[in-house]
Every structure is written in structure tokens, then in C-alpha cells.
Amino acid sequence: MSAMRIVALSSLLAATMLAAATNAIARSADNDELLTLPTSKENIEAGLEADAYQTGLSAYIWGYPLVRMERVARQYSDVPDPKPATSYRAPVNQIGWATLLATPDAKDMPTANNDTLYLSAVVDLSKEPFILHVPDTNDRYYVVDVFDMWQNLAHYIGRRTTGTKAGDYAIVPPGWKGKLPKGVTRLDVSTDKVWLWGRLRVNQGEAMEPLVKLQQQFTLRPLSEWKNAKYVATAAKLPDMPDTGSDPLGFYKQLAFALKSNAVPPQDKALFGQFARFGLTKDGFDDSKLTQPQRDALVRALKDGPKVAVSALSSSGTERNGWSWVRGLDDFGYTYPLRALVAGPYLGGQGEKEAMYPLRSTDSRGDQLEGSKKYVIHFNKAPPVSAFWSLTVYNAADKMLVDNPIQRYKLGTDTKGLKVNADGSFDVPLQSTKPDGEFAANWLPAPSGPFYMILRLYQPKDEVLSGKYDLPQVEPVQ
């Protein structure tokens, strides 16, 4: 074959391949809208609106726990006068204890338990570490959770993890380089403020005076005053958060305020950088350059954000026999919707080894639990736990305990007169009116309207953690 013929064939082959490639690109362009979308004013405006929505939604889900914790820090350090016995509020850097179990009148904490006396302390570590002293509780269940300002549960102090002997625990802020006294356990945290959230077990009907004396043996002092038994915390108050009034974008202003005293975690810096596109940066929230469609999109994001958080019950939870619960409350990772949900209506929730919180709002047919109906909950046996268990009913509307004529707000390990069959099984009538029949003593009062329940399992055994224990079914009574 002549050289000219070879060149001609090669040129033809190259042209054929180029045409095929061009046709392939054209065909792919038919399925790639970005390659063909005009850069028109309409498309740009629509894109800015969509971008504001998606970044604004991400900012809400990511930042809600920080805003919530800053709000709680101020709420729980604002002590009413007179202070109710069920309140655990205390000034900054001081321990507050509830001295009575929660009742329907206790409005500070949604889904409060009726099993333990709550402890709360908002601690400012900006100057130095604080040392928490815990007394010997003689095997009585207690736990003090150390939360950072992102609602991350950094440490447990209590029966399961550190035992019930007396001990001293230093809560150390980031960057502190000092030396701690001998015998003090160091607990490092990632923010300059923390929230201590504790629980002390109360057995039904026991005298409260000895428990109050035990509470008084828990102390919180700055490192420089650790050995000063006469130390009294000076009055301290956190700066007010921005008053957003009726500003529909007020959440972002409060988030920007909270970020001034809480650094963006290193693993979140790339995510946070995206929020600059709608005006949220380390310098604050500047909405002066937003278009009206962008503003509308951000308002819509704030409306949809709570729904995304609530969806974590499905996306991050486990459902068994009609009950739903989530694991990993002490290690959220990147599951920001779950962290936001817990920071909201389930503030202070703990990891599953400390406690499990199966939640139920429907009967065996999948219908919403309603006070106009009657139900029976059948336990094959009591939940296997190393501490104790309880079943508590809450109003669906306000997530508070249910007022009732016998003042029974939960049923559990220490319920006096609980009727149990010889094989360990028992039934619980669940209704708004007093029942009759064999198991009337086991009545758990329900409200007149929609409600839900939480089955608390403190220090659950492996049978629960592995799923081998059958959670009780809720059957409607015909």
C-alpha cells in the first residue's frame, strides 16, 4: 500500500473518530442540563434562591444545638424567686438541684422523668478549670453528664462509668496548660462553657431529707478554690443573646452570636464555609445583600428545619414491636439532624449503655394513642436492667407529664402494689379513666387527648441492647 493511501486512510479514520466523539458529547449534553442551561437572569435568580434554601437549611440543622444550648444556659441560670422544689436552676458556676420529683407543673424540661432528682450547672471555664466533687452514694444510682455547647455528651460521671465512691473531676477547657492536684481526674472538653446535667435516683415513697443532705455534698469549685470549704461562687451572668423580636431570620443572628464564643469544630469548617453565600460568617450574619427571594428561601428553610430534625427518628432510629428509639446519643458524628432533635425536645438524652429511651405514640394497629380510647400494655417480663426501669406518659402537645387523680406519673421498678403473674408477666391498663378488673392496680393514667410514652431503661442489660428482649405490645381494648 502506497504512503499516500495510508495517509488518506488514517485521515479518514481520524475524522470518523472525531465525528463519533462529537456526536457522543452532543448526546451526553442532552442529559446534562448544566451544559445547556442559559445563564439568564431568571436562572441565576432561581439558583440563588435554591442555594439560600439548601445552605440555610443545613445551617439550621448544624447550628440549632449550639443556639439551643446557649439559650438553655441562660434559661437554667435564671433562678425564679421563689424557686419551685422541682426546679434545678442555679446561677452560673453553681449547682442547682431539684428537691422533688417532676410533676405536671414542672415546665423547664420537656419529657422530664419521674424517677430521679435533676442536677443542673452551667459552668464558665474561660478563666480556669472547675472541679466537681461527688460524694459516696452507697451504690445509689446517679449520673452527671458533661455536655459541651454543641450538645455533645463528652463525659459520664456516675454509677456505670466511675462507680459510686467519692471522687473529684476537673473539667478542663481547650488550650489549658496547667497542672491538676493529685487524685483529681481530668476531663477535657472542647468549649469554654459546659452544661452539667445530673440525675439522682429516688425510690417511690422514700424520705427526701436524707437525699437533700446527699445532694449538698456535691460541690463545684474553680481550681484556685478547690480546697476552700467556705468558697461561695460570686454572682455571674452570661451576656444576653440578641433580641430578635419578630425578625424572621433571627435564628441566624443568634447562631452568629453563639459562634463568637464557640469555635467552629475543625471537622465542620468546610461545611461552615458554605454559609457565607447567604451572609453567615465568623464575623456575624449580614443579610444586607440578600434578595427578597433569598430571604423567602431562608424563612422557608427555618420552617422546614424542625421537620428534618424530627425525621431523624426514622432515618437514625430503630423500630421494634411498635417502639422507636435511637442509639449513639453520646456520639452523633455527622448525624446533625439527630443531634438537633435531641437538643430540642429530648435535651439531655444519654447513650444507650447508660439508658435507653424507647418511644411510642401508636397502638398495635398503628393508630395514634388517644385518651378517648383504652389500651392494655402486656409485659412478658419486667425489662432486664442493671439499675431500674420506668414507663411514663406525656401529653403530645406540650411533652409534659399528665395530671391525674392518683398522681401516678410513671410505672416501674419501684411501683408499690404492682400486680405480677406467677410467670413474671403483667398487664398495664392505659387509659384516662380509672379501670376495673384484675390489673386495676397497674393503671397508668393517660390524658384526654393525644399522648405518647417513653420506656426508660437505666443501665440496660445485654438482652435489651442486643434486641433479644421483647418490648411490650400496646393493644386497644374493644
Side-chain angles (χ1 to χ4, degrees), residues 373-433:
K373 301 178 182 178
K374 297 179 180 181
Y375 308 91
V376 171
I377 308 174
H378 179 73
F379 286 79
N380 290 325
K381 66 175 183 178
V385 292
S386 296
F388 58 99
W389 66 272
S390 68
L391 178 64
T392 312
V393 171
Y394 299 93
N395 288 297
D398 60 8
K399 297 179 172 58
M400 297 298 172
L401 293 167
V402 175
D403 195 12
N404 64 86
I406 62 172
Q407 297 183 334
R408 175 181 283 178
Y409 308 114
K410 61 91 187 291
L411 183 144
T413 300
D414 61 355
T415 299
K416 294 182 178 180
L418 185 70
K419 179 176 173 54
V420 180
N421 293 318
D423 62 359
S425 67
F426 57 95
D427 288 336
V428 176
L430 178 64
Q431 57 192 67
S432 60
T433 57

Side-chain angles (χ1 to χ4, degrees), residues 231-276:
Y231 168 77
V232 178
T234 57
K237 186 176 183 297
L238 299 174
D240 292 336
M241 296 187 74
D243 182 4
T244 59
S246 58
D247 184 353
L249 300 183
F251 171 84
Y252 299 116
K253 293 180 180 178
Q254 290 199 337
L255 176 55
F257 170 84
L259 288 167
K260 294 288 186 181
S261 57
N262 297 279
V264 175
Q267 68 272 20
D268 293 340
K269 287 185 176 180
L271 174 63
F272 179 70
Q274 309 302 307
F275 306 153

Side-chain angles (χ1 to χ4, degrees), residues 45 103 354 369 474:
E45 289 178 348
T103 67
E354 187 68 33
L369 296 174
V474 182

